[in-house]
Amino acid sequence: MITILLACYNGERYLREQLDSLLGQTVRDFTIAARDDGSADRTLEILLEYQRAYPAIITVESAKENGGGAKYNFWQLMSSQRDDYLMLCDQDDVWLPDKIERTLQKMKELERRFGVGTPLAIHTDLRVVDEDLRLLAPSYRERAGIDFSRLAFRFQLVQATMTGCTVMYNRALAAFFDKAPRFFVMHDWWVMLTASAFGQVGQVLEPTLLYRQHRDNAVGAEDVRSLGFRLKQLVHFREARRRMLETYLQAESFLLLYRGRLSPEQLELLETFCSIPKRRKLGRWKTARRLGVYRGGLLRSAARFLLI
């Protein structure tokens, strides 16, 4: 069985379209666990309306007040829900009809290769659209300059290549999410870190959903090839450096939480990576280069070394 984890907050404008796209999937053997994070609009009312219409499929949980962001809302679902397979779902996208079918097919393929007891995660590409679902880019992977082949744990330390709203993971991986980390940048990044450290990751290179871009996006899909993006990175130097420093905090949390499960090589990698901010500039460069922790693409790699 599959459980879709739907995290919501002030999503009344797009929520019905998303729910209808879930209910229109070619695979029907799933349930939806929705959680409203203290919305001030009609989000909860809409969720309860759909729950009444589909009581065997949809369950709704509501927080009394906002928990501080999408990543915490998703973590509440990830830590409480268990099933054979779980899928992360944003409130404002639209799933293509065969999203579940195609993702599950890839999951079954990995299970045949590595066994059902292996922690597994699958993610896919997306079509980028505007708020009215007009196409902006046929591939998020290409627009954002993400290399899906960079699956090694050391790469995931500095750049998440997984987009949460495309993800399916299995019961074996879900078992790692019983305790919240001290710090994590985003929930989907933590999923990718965990899967790359302790299991296997698979990709579907084709888009399986419409990734809606609007002013309220928690995370957007910027075109990294554009001049505007490059200028923005230069202007917002402090913000870029803050995001880089968060990678070290996240790695420290990962090391603290999973030290007893890590291999000697992973322990050495994490301990050395976490020591980088404490070193002098030249030492930081040399250590990062020796570890092979760099972001995909020439521009991103160069920017990281400038910020270190």
Side-chain angles (χ1 to χ4, degrees):
M1 183 64 119
I2 300 164
T3 298
I4 298 171
L5 309 181
L6 173 60
C8 300
Y9 178 68
N10 287 347
E12 66 175 0
R13 183 176 179 185
Y14 307 115
L15 182 56
R16 290 183 186 277
E17 252 183 318
Q18 176 64 301
L19 286 167
D20 289 341
S21 77
L22 302 184
L23 294 168
Q25 291 291 300
T26 55
V27 169
R28 306 294 298 174
D29 190 19
F30 65 87
T31 58
I32 301 169
R35 187 177 191 274
D36 178 65
D37 200 23
S39 293
D41 64 2
R42 296 180 59 251
T43 296
L44 180 58
E45 181 181 332
I46 293 169
L47 289 174
L48 293 175
E49 174 191 325
Y50 273 77
Q51 182 186 42
R52 288 191 294 271
Y54 302 94
I57 298 176
I58 302 174
T59 59
V60 178
E61 176 187 349
S62 176
K64 293 181 179 180
E65 57 184 26
N66 183 260
K71 66 179 184 179
Y72 300 112
N73 196 11
F74 270 109
W75 190 269
Q76 290 296 322
L77 289 166
M78 289 165 55
S79 61
S80 63
Q81 296 292 326
R82 295 291 180 266
D83 207 335
D84 295 331
Y85 310 108
L86 301 107
M87 302 183 76
L88 304 180
C89 181
D90 291 346
Q91 65 187 1
D92 49 2
D93 299 323
V94 172
W95 285 20
L96 299 179
D98 60 351
K99 180 183 191 302
I100 296 179
E101 181 180 353
R102 295 169 72 184
T103 311
L104 183 60
Q105 183 179 28
K106 189 67 176 182
M107 175 65 78
K108 295 291 188 180
E109 179 185 317
L110 259 64
E111 286 183 336
R112 288 191 293 270
R113 290 176 59 192
F114 302 107
V116 295
T118 300
L120 300 172
I122 307 294
H123 66 112
T124 81
D125 200 359
L126 321 88
R127 292 179 193 160
V128 184
V129 298
D130 68 11
E131 58 186 20
D132 297 314
L133 303 182
R134 291 186 292 256
L135 186 68
L136 298 176
S139 169
Y140 171 76
R141 176 168 53 95
E142 294 178 3
R143 179 183 176 93
I146 294 176
D147 184 353
F148 274 17
S149 68
R150 292 166 55 83
L151 299 178
F153 180 58
R154 70 179 186 276
F155 295 145
Q156 297 303 318
L157 287 174
V158 295
Q159 181 187 16
T161 57
M162 172 185 284
T163 308
C165 56
T166 73
V167 170
M168 171 186 282
Y169 60 94
N170 67 352
R171 188 184 296 273
L173 188 59
F176 283 83
F177 306 140
D178 57 340
K179 184 177 180 181
R182 182 175 59 185
F183 174 84
F184 57 108
V185 178
M186 284 298 287
H187 59 285
D188 51 354
W189 196 342
W190 194 267
V191 170
M192 188 65 170
L193 275 174
T194 310
S196 64
F198 303 114
Q200 299 290 333
V201 178
Q203 306 97 5
V204 175
L205 298 181
E206 296 77 26
T208 61
L209 63 87
L210 306 180
Y211 188 38
R212 198 192 306 258
Q213 298 298 287
H214 53 85
R215 64 183 180 181
D216 298 323
N217 279 106
V219 179
E222 295 186 88
D223 187 348
V224 300
R225 301 163 296 184
S226 69
L227 178 61
F229 177 83
R230 297 172 190 180
L231 291 174
K232 181 179 176 181
Q233 294 297 98
L234 291 173
V235 170
H236 298 287
F237 179 86
R238 289 184 179 178
E239 174 64 17
R241 180 162 176 78
R242 181 191 65 79
R243 290 197 301 268
M244 186 194 69
L245 292 175
E246 285 183 342
T247 66
Y248 300 121
L249 293 175
Q250 182 169 250
E252 288 175 355
S253 294
F254 198 88
L255 177 61
L256 179 67
L257 191 58
Y258 298 131
R259 178 179 289 274
R261 298 185 176 190
L262 295 164
S263 70
E265 294 78 16
Q266 289 171 331
L267 278 171
E268 182 181 1
L269 170 64
L270 277 169
E271 288 172 348
T272 306
F273 179 76
C274 293
S275 75
I276 290 176
K278 305 177 181 70
R279 300 172 186 263
R280 293 180 179 274
K281 186 74 172 180
L282 183 58
R284 296 200 295 270
W285 284 348
K286 288 182 176 179
T287 304
R289 183 172 182 177
R290 176 169 61 84
L291 294 178
V293 287
Y294 56 89
R295 295 169 69 91
L298 179 61
L299 287 173
R300 281 175 165 165
S301 297
R304 182 170 181 86
F305 277 100
L306 284 173
L307 291 168
I308 283 178

